[in-house]
Amino acid sequence: MFAFGDQLGPAKVIHVYEPGLGLKGILVVDNVARGPSIGGLRMAPDVSAQECFRLARAMTLKNSAAGLAHGGGKSVLFGDPRMPVGNKQKLIRAFAHALRNEHDYIFGPDMGTDETCMAWVKDEIGRAVGLPADLGGIPLDEVGATGWGVYHAGIAALPHCGLRMEGARVAIQGFGAVGQHAARFFVQNGALLVATSDSRGTLVDPAGIDVAALMAEKAAGRSVCEHARGDKRAVDAIIDVECDIWIPAARPDVVREDNAHRLKTRLVLEGANIPFSVGAERMLHERGVCVVPDFIANAGGVICAAMEYRGATQAAAFDVIAERVTSNTAQTLAQAKAEGIVPRDAALRLAAQRVQHAMSTRRFSIF
Ligand code: NAD
Protein backbone atom coordinates (compact mmCIF):
# COMPACT_ATOMS: atom_id res chain seq x y z
CA MET A 1 0.00 0.00 0.00
CA PHE A 2 1.18 3.51 -0.85
CA ALA A 3 4.38 1.99 -2.22
CA PHE A 4 4.31 4.24 -5.32
CA GLY A 5 3.74 7.53 -3.46
CA ASP A 6 6.13 10.41 -4.07
CA GLN A 7 5.84 14.19 -4.45
CA LEU A 8 3.77 13.96 -7.65
CA GLY A 9 1.33 11.15 -6.88
CA PRO A 10 -0.49 8.90 -7.34
CA ALA A 11 -3.63 10.60 -6.03
CA LYS A 12 -5.78 7.46 -6.33
CA VAL A 13 -5.40 3.76 -7.07
CA ILE A 14 -8.72 1.99 -7.56
CA HIS A 15 -9.12 -1.77 -7.94
CA VAL A 16 -12.34 -2.83 -9.68
CA TYR A 17 -13.58 -6.40 -9.21
CA GLU A 18 -16.76 -8.18 -10.34
CA PRO A 19 -16.49 -11.98 -10.09
CA GLY A 20 -19.80 -12.45 -11.91
CA LEU A 21 -18.13 -11.12 -15.09
CA GLY A 22 -14.54 -12.13 -14.41
CA LEU A 23 -13.80 -8.41 -14.28
CA LYS A 24 -10.50 -7.32 -12.78
CA GLY A 25 -9.22 -3.84 -13.50
CA ILE A 26 -7.18 -1.04 -11.99
CA LEU A 27 -7.31 2.73 -12.39
CA VAL A 28 -4.40 4.93 -11.33
CA VAL A 29 -5.06 8.66 -11.27
CA ASP A 30 -1.57 10.01 -10.77
CA ASN A 31 -1.80 13.81 -10.60
CA VAL A 32 -4.61 16.14 -11.63
CA ALA A 33 -3.14 19.49 -10.58
CA ARG A 34 -3.23 20.59 -14.26
CA GLY A 35 -6.74 19.24 -14.92
CA PRO A 36 -8.58 15.92 -15.32
CA SER A 37 -6.25 13.10 -16.25
CA ILE A 38 -6.20 11.58 -19.74
CA GLY A 39 -4.62 8.18 -20.34
CA GLY A 40 -5.25 4.97 -22.21
CA LEU A 41 -7.08 1.81 -21.18
CA ARG A 42 -4.70 -1.12 -21.70
CA MET A 43 -6.10 -4.64 -21.94
CA ALA A 44 -3.75 -7.62 -21.58
CA PRO A 45 -3.61 -10.85 -19.56
CA ASP A 46 -0.46 -9.80 -17.67
CA VAL A 47 -1.00 -6.16 -16.66
CA SER A 48 -0.25 -5.05 -13.08
CA ALA A 49 -0.76 -2.18 -10.65
CA GLN A 50 2.94 -1.36 -10.98
CA GLU A 51 2.72 -1.11 -14.77
CA CYS A 52 -0.46 0.95 -14.49
CA PHE A 53 1.21 3.39 -12.10
CA ARG A 54 4.32 3.77 -14.29
CA LEU A 55 2.18 4.46 -17.35
CA ALA A 56 0.02 6.93 -15.41
CA ARG A 57 3.16 8.80 -14.27
CA ALA A 58 4.44 8.86 -17.86
CA MET A 59 1.13 10.49 -18.83
CA THR A 60 1.44 13.12 -16.07
CA LEU A 61 4.78 14.17 -17.53
CA LYS A 62 3.76 13.79 -21.18
CA ASN A 63 0.57 15.85 -20.79
CA SER A 64 2.42 18.49 -18.81
CA ALA A 65 5.32 18.60 -21.28
CA ALA A 66 2.78 19.04 -24.07
CA GLY A 67 1.36 22.02 -22.18
CA LEU A 68 -2.08 20.43 -21.84
CA ALA A 69 -4.55 21.30 -19.08
CA HIS A 70 -4.66 17.61 -18.17
CA GLY A 71 -3.07 15.42 -15.58
CA GLY A 72 -1.93 11.82 -15.98
CA GLY A 73 -3.87 8.62 -15.43
CA LYS A 74 -4.03 5.12 -16.83
CA SER A 75 -6.27 2.10 -16.51
CA VAL A 76 -5.68 -1.61 -17.11
CA LEU A 77 -8.04 -4.54 -17.59
CA PHE A 78 -6.87 -8.11 -17.08
CA GLY A 79 -7.85 -10.28 -20.07
CA ASP A 80 -7.05 -11.33 -23.62
CA PRO A 81 -7.97 -8.41 -25.91
CA ARG A 82 -8.82 -10.92 -28.70
CA MET A 83 -11.63 -12.52 -26.67
CA PRO A 84 -15.07 -12.66 -28.37
CA VAL A 85 -16.21 -9.09 -28.93
CA GLY A 86 -19.43 -9.54 -26.92
CA ASN A 87 -17.44 -10.52 -23.81
CA LYS A 88 -14.97 -7.70 -24.35
CA GLN A 89 -17.80 -5.20 -24.65
CA LYS A 90 -19.38 -6.46 -21.39
CA LEU A 91 -16.08 -6.15 -19.50
CA ILE A 92 -15.27 -2.68 -20.82
CA ARG A 93 -18.76 -1.36 -20.22
CA ALA A 94 -18.77 -2.75 -16.67
CA PHE A 95 -15.32 -1.32 -15.93
CA ALA A 96 -16.35 2.10 -17.25
CA HIS A 97 -19.61 1.96 -15.28
CA ALA A 98 -17.73 1.17 -12.06
CA LEU A 99 -15.59 4.27 -12.68
CA ARG A 100 -18.51 6.48 -13.76
CA ASN A 101 -18.01 8.90 -10.87
CA GLU A 102 -14.23 9.23 -11.33
CA HIS A 103 -14.52 12.50 -13.22
CA ASP A 104 -10.77 13.00 -12.81
CA TYR A 105 -10.12 10.33 -15.42
CA ILE A 106 -10.85 10.42 -19.16
CA PHE A 107 -10.47 7.10 -20.99
CA GLY A 108 -8.40 6.81 -24.19
CA PRO A 109 -7.31 3.85 -26.35
CA ASP A 110 -4.09 1.93 -25.69
CA MET A 111 -2.77 -1.58 -26.37
CA GLY A 112 -5.69 -4.00 -26.66
CA THR A 113 -8.36 -1.29 -27.04
CA ASP A 114 -9.47 0.82 -30.01
CA GLU A 115 -11.97 3.46 -31.13
CA THR A 116 -14.89 1.03 -30.88
CA CYS A 117 -14.00 0.33 -27.24
CA MET A 118 -13.92 4.10 -26.65
CA ALA A 119 -17.39 4.39 -28.23
CA TRP A 120 -18.70 1.87 -25.62
CA VAL A 121 -17.06 3.88 -22.81
CA LYS A 122 -18.50 7.14 -24.15
CA ASP A 123 -21.95 5.57 -24.36
CA GLU A 124 -21.62 4.25 -20.80
CA ILE A 125 -20.22 7.30 -18.96
CA GLY A 126 -19.79 10.15 -21.49
CA ARG A 127 -16.01 10.52 -21.02
CA ALA A 128 -13.60 9.15 -23.63
CA VAL A 129 -11.18 10.30 -26.34
CA GLY A 130 -9.97 8.46 -29.44
CA LEU A 131 -13.56 8.06 -30.63
CA PRO A 132 -14.77 7.00 -34.08
CA ALA A 133 -15.20 9.95 -36.48
CA ASP A 134 -18.99 9.50 -36.41
CA LEU A 135 -18.95 10.35 -32.70
CA GLY A 136 -16.74 13.43 -33.08
CA GLY A 137 -13.41 11.60 -33.00
CA ILE A 138 -10.33 12.72 -34.96
CA PRO A 139 -8.83 9.53 -36.49
CA LEU A 140 -5.29 10.41 -35.50
CA ASP A 141 -3.48 7.55 -37.25
CA GLU A 142 -5.29 8.19 -40.51
CA VAL A 143 -4.60 11.92 -40.50
CA GLY A 144 -1.04 11.55 -39.19
CA ALA A 145 -1.27 13.63 -35.98
CA THR A 146 1.85 12.11 -34.42
CA GLY A 147 3.86 12.29 -37.66
CA TRP A 148 2.86 15.96 -37.96
CA GLY A 149 4.28 16.60 -34.49
CA VAL A 150 7.48 14.66 -35.26
CA TYR A 151 7.92 16.84 -38.35
CA HIS A 152 7.59 20.02 -36.27
CA ALA A 153 10.06 18.69 -33.69
CA GLY A 154 12.38 18.35 -36.69
CA ILE A 155 11.83 21.93 -37.87
CA ALA A 156 12.64 23.23 -34.38
CA ALA A 157 15.69 20.97 -33.92
CA LEU A 158 17.35 21.36 -37.33
CA PRO A 159 19.05 24.72 -36.57
CA HIS A 160 20.52 23.23 -33.35
CA CYS A 161 22.31 20.70 -35.52
CA GLY A 162 23.38 23.13 -38.24
CA LEU A 163 21.00 21.44 -40.69
CA ARG A 164 18.40 22.70 -43.19
CA MET A 165 15.17 21.02 -44.26
CA GLU A 166 15.97 21.34 -47.96
CA GLY A 167 17.84 18.19 -48.94
CA ALA A 168 18.02 16.78 -45.39
CA ARG A 169 18.41 12.97 -45.55
CA VAL A 170 15.81 11.21 -43.40
CA ALA A 171 15.82 7.53 -42.35
CA ILE A 172 12.73 6.11 -40.63
CA GLN A 173 12.57 2.82 -38.74
CA GLY A 174 8.99 1.52 -39.02
CA PHE A 175 6.85 2.60 -41.98
CA GLY A 176 3.55 2.47 -40.06
CA ALA A 177 1.06 5.12 -38.91
CA VAL A 178 3.71 7.39 -37.37
CA GLY A 179 6.52 6.69 -39.85
CA GLN A 180 4.51 7.10 -43.06
CA HIS A 181 3.03 10.45 -42.14
CA ALA A 182 6.31 11.79 -40.77
CA ALA A 183 7.93 10.77 -44.09
CA ARG A 184 5.15 12.46 -46.04
CA PHE A 185 5.51 15.80 -44.20
CA PHE A 186 9.32 15.85 -44.42
CA VAL A 187 9.38 15.01 -48.13
CA GLN A 188 6.61 17.52 -48.95
CA ASN A 189 8.85 20.18 -47.44
CA GLY A 190 12.08 19.45 -49.26
CA ALA A 191 13.73 16.61 -47.33
CA LEU A 192 14.63 13.22 -48.85
CA LEU A 193 13.55 9.87 -47.43
CA VAL A 194 16.74 7.85 -47.98
CA ALA A 195 15.74 4.72 -46.04
CA THR A 196 12.84 3.12 -44.22
CA SER A 197 12.01 -0.27 -42.77
CA ASP A 198 9.22 -2.51 -41.57
CA SER A 199 9.13 -5.83 -39.72
CA ARG A 200 10.37 -7.60 -42.89
CA GLY A 201 13.35 -5.51 -43.95
CA THR A 202 14.96 -2.20 -44.88
CA LEU A 203 14.69 -0.22 -48.12
CA VAL A 204 17.56 2.16 -48.93
CA ASP A 205 17.65 4.67 -51.80
CA PRO A 206 20.03 7.65 -51.47
CA ALA A 207 18.27 9.33 -54.43
CA GLY A 208 15.07 9.56 -52.35
CA ILE A 209 12.13 7.17 -51.97
CA ASP A 210 8.73 7.95 -53.55
CA VAL A 211 6.72 8.19 -50.31
CA ALA A 212 3.24 8.33 -51.89
CA ALA A 213 3.95 5.18 -53.96
CA LEU A 214 5.35 3.36 -50.92
CA MET A 215 2.33 4.32 -48.80
CA ALA A 216 0.01 2.91 -51.48
CA GLU A 217 2.02 -0.33 -51.54
CA LYS A 218 1.87 -0.65 -47.73
CA ALA A 219 -1.90 -0.03 -47.84
CA ALA A 220 -2.12 -2.93 -50.32
CA GLY A 221 -0.38 -5.16 -47.77
CA ARG A 222 3.13 -5.22 -49.27
CA SER A 223 6.43 -4.76 -47.44
CA VAL A 224 8.81 -1.86 -48.09
CA CYS A 225 11.20 -4.56 -49.38
CA GLU A 226 8.91 -5.25 -52.33
CA HIS A 227 9.35 -1.71 -53.69
CA ALA A 228 10.66 -1.69 -57.26
CA ARG A 229 13.56 0.73 -56.72
CA GLY A 230 16.35 0.92 -54.11
CA ASP A 231 18.47 -1.61 -52.19
CA LYS A 232 16.82 -4.20 -49.96
CA ARG A 233 18.58 -5.02 -46.68
CA ALA A 234 17.98 -6.79 -43.36
CA VAL A 235 15.49 -5.39 -40.80
CA ASP A 236 18.30 -4.18 -38.57
CA ALA A 237 20.25 -2.45 -41.38
CA ILE A 238 18.22 0.77 -40.97
CA ILE A 239 20.45 1.55 -37.97
CA ASP A 240 23.58 1.76 -40.17
CA VAL A 241 22.19 4.07 -42.85
CA GLU A 242 24.05 7.35 -43.17
CA CYS A 243 21.59 10.23 -42.82
CA ASP A 244 20.94 13.62 -41.17
CA ILE A 245 17.72 12.72 -39.31
CA TRP A 246 16.99 9.25 -37.88
CA ILE A 247 13.45 8.56 -36.70
CA PRO A 248 12.57 5.47 -34.68
CA ALA A 249 8.84 4.80 -35.28
CA ALA A 250 8.50 1.09 -34.57
CA ARG A 251 9.35 -0.65 -31.30
CA PRO A 252 10.79 0.12 -27.83
CA ASP A 253 14.47 -0.50 -26.97
CA VAL A 254 15.84 -0.57 -30.52
CA VAL A 255 18.95 1.49 -29.78
CA ARG A 256 20.97 0.59 -26.71
CA GLU A 257 24.50 1.00 -25.37
CA ASP A 258 25.61 -2.01 -27.45
CA ASN A 259 24.52 -0.66 -30.85
CA ALA A 260 24.30 3.15 -30.47
CA HIS A 261 27.77 3.48 -32.07
CA ARG A 262 26.28 2.24 -35.36
CA LEU A 263 24.04 5.30 -35.88
CA LYS A 264 25.42 7.77 -38.43
CA THR A 265 23.16 10.77 -38.01
CA ARG A 266 23.15 14.29 -36.56
CA LEU A 267 19.60 14.36 -35.21
CA VAL A 268 17.23 11.75 -33.74
CA LEU A 269 13.49 12.43 -33.38
CA GLU A 270 11.91 9.77 -31.18
CA GLY A 271 8.56 8.93 -32.80
CA ALA A 272 8.18 5.59 -30.98
CA ASN A 273 7.84 5.32 -27.19
CA ILE A 274 11.10 4.59 -25.30
CA PRO A 275 12.96 3.53 -28.47
CA PHE A 276 16.40 4.35 -26.96
CA SER A 277 17.90 3.38 -23.62
CA VAL A 278 18.92 6.25 -21.35
CA GLY A 279 22.55 5.12 -21.72
CA ALA A 280 22.33 5.22 -25.52
CA GLU A 281 20.92 8.77 -25.43
CA ARG A 282 23.82 9.78 -23.20
CA MET A 283 26.42 8.21 -25.54
CA LEU A 284 24.91 10.00 -28.54
CA HIS A 285 24.81 13.31 -26.65
CA GLU A 286 28.55 12.95 -25.94
CA ARG A 287 29.12 12.37 -29.67
CA GLY A 288 27.23 15.61 -30.47
CA VAL A 289 24.09 13.89 -31.80
CA CYS A 290 20.93 15.72 -30.77
CA VAL A 291 18.15 13.39 -29.52
CA VAL A 292 14.65 14.88 -29.09
CA PRO A 293 13.02 12.58 -26.49
CA ASP A 294 9.84 10.62 -27.15
CA PHE A 295 7.41 12.52 -24.94
CA ILE A 296 8.36 15.80 -26.65
CA ALA A 297 8.64 14.56 -30.25
CA ASN A 298 5.64 12.17 -30.33
CA ALA A 299 3.17 14.30 -28.33
CA GLY A 300 1.04 14.95 -31.45
CA GLY A 301 -1.27 12.04 -30.63
CA VAL A 302 -2.05 13.12 -27.09
CA ILE A 303 -2.48 16.76 -28.08
CA CYS A 304 -4.90 15.64 -30.79
CA ALA A 305 -6.86 13.60 -28.22
CA ALA A 306 -7.12 16.57 -25.84
CA MET A 307 -8.35 18.77 -28.69
CA GLU A 308 -10.88 16.13 -29.68
CA TYR A 309 -12.21 16.18 -26.10
CA ARG A 310 -12.89 19.90 -26.51
CA GLY A 311 -14.78 19.28 -29.75
CA ALA A 312 -12.06 20.85 -31.93
CA THR A 313 -11.74 20.22 -35.66
CA GLN A 314 -8.78 18.38 -37.17
CA ALA A 315 -7.40 21.64 -38.59
CA ALA A 316 -7.48 23.31 -35.17
CA ALA A 317 -5.83 20.25 -33.60
CA PHE A 318 -3.04 20.35 -36.20
CA ASP A 319 -2.38 24.03 -35.47
CA VAL A 320 -2.05 23.33 -31.75
CA ILE A 321 0.23 20.31 -32.36
CA ALA A 322 2.52 22.42 -34.55
CA GLU A 323 2.69 25.25 -32.03
CA ARG A 324 3.19 23.10 -28.91
CA VAL A 325 5.68 20.61 -30.31
CA THR A 326 7.73 23.39 -31.89
CA SER A 327 7.93 25.46 -28.73
CA ASN A 328 8.55 22.48 -26.44
CA THR A 329 11.33 21.16 -28.67
CA ALA A 330 12.95 24.60 -28.83
CA GLN A 331 12.71 25.08 -25.04
CA THR A 332 14.05 21.60 -24.33
CA LEU A 333 17.04 21.97 -26.62
CA ALA A 334 17.84 25.50 -25.43
CA GLN A 335 17.73 24.37 -21.78
CA ALA A 336 19.84 21.29 -22.53
CA LYS A 337 22.44 23.43 -24.27
CA ALA A 338 22.52 26.09 -21.54
CA GLU A 339 23.12 23.51 -18.83
CA GLY A 340 25.11 20.95 -20.79
CA ILE A 341 22.58 18.21 -20.00
CA VAL A 342 20.90 15.62 -22.22
CA PRO A 343 17.62 16.81 -23.77
CA ARG A 344 15.64 14.11 -21.92
CA ASP A 345 16.75 15.50 -18.54
CA ALA A 346 15.88 19.03 -19.65
CA ALA A 347 12.44 17.88 -20.85
CA LEU A 348 11.73 15.95 -17.64
CA ARG A 349 12.62 19.00 -15.60
CA LEU A 350 10.41 21.21 -17.75
CA ALA A 351 7.48 18.79 -17.36
CA ALA A 352 7.94 18.39 -13.58
CA GLN A 353 8.25 22.16 -13.10
CA ARG A 354 4.96 22.71 -14.91
CA VAL A 355 3.21 20.13 -12.72
CA GLN A 356 4.73 21.59 -9.55
CA HIS A 357 3.71 25.09 -10.55
CA ALA A 358 0.12 23.94 -11.04
CA MET A 359 0.30 22.11 -7.68
CA SER A 360 1.38 25.31 -5.92
CA THR A 361 -1.90 26.97 -6.93
CA ARG A 362 -4.11 24.22 -5.47
CA ARG A 363 -5.61 23.73 -2.00
CA PHE A 364 -4.60 20.05 -2.11
CA SER A 365 -1.47 19.60 -4.16
CA ILE A 366 -2.05 16.60 -6.40
CA PHE A 367 -5.84 16.16 -6.61
P1 NAD B 1 2.15 0.79 -36.53
O1 NAD B 1 1.82 -0.57 -36.08
O2 NAD B 1 1.20 1.53 -37.42
O3 NAD B 1 3.57 0.80 -37.29
C1 NAD B 1 4.69 0.17 -36.80
C2 NAD B 1 5.59 -0.18 -37.98
O4 NAD B 1 6.80 -0.70 -37.48
C3 NAD B 1 5.02 -1.24 -38.92
O5 NAD B 1 5.27 -0.85 -40.24
C4 NAD B 1 5.83 -2.50 -38.59
O6 NAD B 1 6.00 -3.37 -39.70
C5 NAD B 1 7.15 -1.86 -38.21
N1 NAD B 1 8.02 -2.70 -37.39
C6 NAD B 1 7.70 -3.60 -36.43
N2 NAD B 1 8.81 -4.15 -35.94
C7 NAD B 1 9.84 -3.59 -36.59
C8 NAD B 1 11.23 -3.72 -36.51
N3 NAD B 1 11.79 -4.57 -35.65
N4 NAD B 1 12.00 -2.99 -37.33
C9 NAD B 1 11.44 -2.11 -38.19
N5 NAD B 1 10.13 -1.92 -38.29
C10 NAD B 1 9.34 -2.66 -37.50
O7 NAD B 1 2.44 1.62 -35.18
P2 NAD B 1 2.44 3.21 -34.98
O8 NAD B 1 1.09 3.64 -34.52
O9 NAD B 1 3.08 3.85 -36.16
O10 NAD B 1 3.39 3.34 -33.71
C11 NAD B 1 4.79 3.20 -33.81
C12 NAD B 1 5.44 3.56 -32.49
O11 NAD B 1 5.10 4.91 -32.14
C13 NAD B 1 5.00 2.73 -31.30
O12 NAD B 1 6.11 2.65 -30.43
C14 NAD B 1 3.93 3.58 -30.64
O13 NAD B 1 3.81 3.28 -29.26
C15 NAD B 1 4.50 4.96 -30.85
N6 NAD B 1 3.51 6.04 -30.82
C16 NAD B 1 2.45 6.03 -31.66
C17 NAD B 1 1.55 7.08 -31.63
C18 NAD B 1 0.39 7.13 -32.58
O14 NAD B 1 -0.27 8.18 -32.63
N7 NAD B 1 0.12 6.11 -33.36
C19 NAD B 1 1.73 8.15 -30.72
C20 NAD B 1 2.85 8.13 -29.88
C21 NAD B 1 3.73 7.06 -29.95
Side-chain angles (χ1 to χ4, degrees), residues 140-141 146 173-178 197-199 235 249-251 271-273 298:
L140 59 91
D141 282 344
T146 302
Q173 180 187 49
F175 200 65
V178 175
S197 65
D198 60 21
S199 55
V235 171
R251 312 272 316 145
N273 287 319
N298 74 22

Side-chain angles (χ1 to χ4, degrees), residues 51-110:
E51 179 184 2
C52 192
F53 163 66
R54 288 178 54 204
L55 294 165
R57 173 57 52 83
M59 290 310 296
T60 299
L61 297 172
K62 188 167 187 166
N63 290 342
S64 157
L68 299 174
H70 287 287
K74 200 86 183 181
S75 56
V76 295
L77 255 183
F78 291 74
D80 181 349
R82 288 158 306 179
M83 67 175 61
V85 67
N87 296 357
K88 187 170 179 178
Q89 180 170 176
K90 264 188 208 147
L91 281 183
I92 289 177
R93 280 184 180 274
F95 187 53
H97 179 80
L99 297 172
R100 65 194 177 283
N101 293 325
E102 296 306 321
H103 295 276
D104 276 347
Y105 176 61
I106 300 161
F107 281 83
D110 193 71

Side-chain angles (χ1 to χ4, degrees), residues 24 42 72 75 106 111 125 138 153 157 162 164 208-209 227 237 240 248 265 274 276 300-301 316 322 328 342:
K24 282 197 263 174
R42 178 168 291 194
S75 56
I106 300 161
M111 278 164 50
I125 63 168
I138 303 175
R164 296 174 56 229
I209 296 166
H227 192 62
D240 305 293
T265 189
I274 48 168
F276 284 28
N328 287 328
V342 294

